[in-house]
Amino acid sequence: MSEDERKLLDIAGDYRYLVHDGAQTSEPDWQSCRVIVTNKRLVLAGDANQSIPHPRATIPADPD
């Protein structure tokens, strides 16, 4: 983390890829990880760390 980046949240969680590398995943599996949110990015820390800058993160619309 850089000096101007602050950790806002650090919890255990799970994630799964529904679309990976532009292709829909046929059988997505849940992966356990640490979910870290900073003022600049979202980090999924597990077997393979994934860092997503805030401008690239999207939240799907509620289907209700």
Side-chain angles (χ1 to χ4, degrees):
M1 261 191 293
S2 64
E3 288 184 21
D4 59 336
E5 187 172 18
R6 293 181 327 273
K7 189 185 311 184
L8 305 174
L9 179 71
D10 186 346
I11 60 171
D14 299 307
Y15 71 95
R16 66 180 177 175
Y17 288 108
L18 298 177
V19 176
H20 192 57
D21 293 330
Q24 193 167 15
T25 305
S26 59
E27 294 185 30
D29 292 328
W30 286 99
Q31 303 292 322
S32 294
C33 67
R34 282 177 55 206
V35 179
I36 303 165
V37 179
T38 74
N39 61 323
K40 295 187 178 249
R41 61 192 169 131
L42 166 70
V43 179
L44 303 175
D47 292 337
N49 293 343
Q50 176 90 27
S51 179
I52 305 165
H54 285 257
R56 292 200 55 214
T58 60
I59 299 173
D62 191 0
D64 291 338

